[in-house]
Amino acid sequence: MNSEGARLHSLVDLDDAELERQLLKAGNLYPTQSRSGRELFDANGNLPLSAEEKDEMIAAVEQKFSEIFDVMRIDRNDPNSTDTPFRLARMWINELFAGRYSAAPKITVFPNRRQVGEIVISKGIKVMSVCSHHWQPISGTCAIGYIPRDKVIGLSKFTRIVEWFSRRGQIQEELGEQIADFLVEILDPVAVGVVIDSKHYCMIARGVEAHDSSSMVTSVMRGELATNPALRTEFLQLIAQQ
Ligand SMILES: [Zn+2]
């Protein structure tokens, strides 16, 4: 094993607390470029790839999944497992992590001609994501409210924005922040709020205390929703109504 390999192997042996301590002390402990010299980025980051680059990535991931099957002693002569490495690779790149590799959705912004100054809300937006810690599904809904300043967007666009940020390795807190930041950037609204309520399958599938009714709620408030408690209460009441 070369020294780089030995170093990475020793990192794997550290417990979480020690790894965090080392990380704070030393900065990046892991490479920031892939072996083929490509930029590595956060699980919930974004770097659009061409169709050819995605196909190349799927082929490489399929190869690695076949190796995992070998390590886990899964016989691919079992017809249910024969093509699973390919299905897994395609699913991770084209679906579960699609938002990492695709360009931002094109959002048309319209002038706020009627000078709407009330909170506009869209709720029940589907969230289908993956937790970065365990690569297990996160499934739930998102409510978004905003008070326009000079610009408005069609409410259906929220669905595409949530989808784009969800289809990555995420932690729910950062997912809400990313959606709010994006809306602030394209709309410059007076206020924006993003509330996500979801189930984490790493909680449901693991551990003795796990049960499928546990859910996680996070909220991000920007602008007047962050500073005006009465407005925040109104928003939270409106999204709680059926
Ligand atoms: Zn998790």
Side-chain angles (χ1 to χ4, degrees):
M1 193 182 283
N2 61 27
S3 64
E4 176 84 345
R7 187 170 138 269
L8 288 176
H9 190 258
S10 68
L11 290 174
V12 169
D13 296 333
L14 299 176
D15 66 24
D16 286 358
E18 180 60 16
L19 190 61
E20 193 177 332
R21 207 177 64 76
Q22 296 273 343
L23 196 63
L24 287 172
K25 197 171 68 182
N28 288 330
L29 288 175
Y30 292 95
T32 56
Q33 284 200 331
S34 75
R35 282 172 205 215
S36 51
R38 288 171 171 139
E39 182 193 344
L40 301 176
F41 54 103
D42 289 354
N44 62 3
N46 172 263
L47 189 68
L49 299 182
S50 67
E52 294 74 37
E53 286 173 311
K54 279 188 216 174
D55 286 345
E56 194 184 307
M57 189 179 267
I58 289 169
V61 171
E62 178 189 0
Q63 171 60 33
K64 292 297 177 188
F65 272 126
S66 344
E67 290 173 27
I68 290 172
F69 274 54
D70 183 69
V71 173
M72 292 178 73
R73 301 197 195 175
I74 296 171
D75 185 349
R76 289 174 64 198
N77 294 303
D78 168 358
N80 296 311
S81 299
T82 306
D83 293 326
T84 302
F86 172 65
R87 278 193 290 269
L88 281 170
R90 197 177 46 182
M91 178 183 77
W92 282 104
I93 309 305
N94 287 347
E95 294 172 278
L96 299 180
F97 280 181
R100 276 173 64 75
Y101 308 117
S102 57
K106 292 215 173 5
I107 307 293
T108 310
V109 174
F110 300 99
N112 182 14
R113 286 200 304 181
R114 290 175 184 268
Q115 294 298 306
V116 174
E118 294 296 316
I119 192 157
V120 181
I121 293 173
S122 177
K123 59 186 183 179
I125 302 165
K126 183 181 94 169
V127 171
M128 187 67 239
S129 189
V130 173
C131 100
S132 280
H133 298 148
H134 304 96
W135 284 30
Q136 290 295 302
I138 299 171
S139 157
T141 57
C142 175
I144 297 175
Y146 79 109
I147 300 178
R149 196 185 312 274
D150 301 324
K151 300 172 207 164
V152 293
I153 58 171
L155 284 187
S156 66
K157 296 296 185 290
F158 286 140
T159 309
R160 295 177 57 203
I161 294 166
V162 171
E163 169 91 1
W164 187 61
F165 283 112
S166 297
R167 296 287 179 167
R168 307 174 187 193
Q170 277 290 4
I171 66 165
Q172 190 172 318
E173 297 88 335
E174 291 186 5
L175 173 59
E177 298 278 345
Q178 287 182 325
I179 294 167
D181 286 344
F182 186 83
L183 292 170
V184 166
E185 197 179 310
I186 62 169
L187 287 174
D188 181 32
V190 172
V192 65
V194 178
V195 176
I196 301 172
D197 183 352
S198 70
K199 290 179 187 299
H200 290 236
Y201 281 78
C202 58
M203 295 278 295
I204 293 168
R206 300 164 56 249
V208 284
E209 297 297 316
H211 52 88
D212 62 6
S213 62
S214 63
S215 71
M216 177 175 179
V217 180
T218 50
S219 75
V220 180
M221 304 289 175
R222 297 280 163 80
E224 252 182 55
L225 273 165
T227 56
N228 180 341
L231 181 65
R232 190 162 59 241
T233 303
E234 182 193 344
F235 171 55
L236 293 173
Q237 280 172 353
L238 286 168
I239 65 171
Q241 285 169 11
Q242 290 308 310

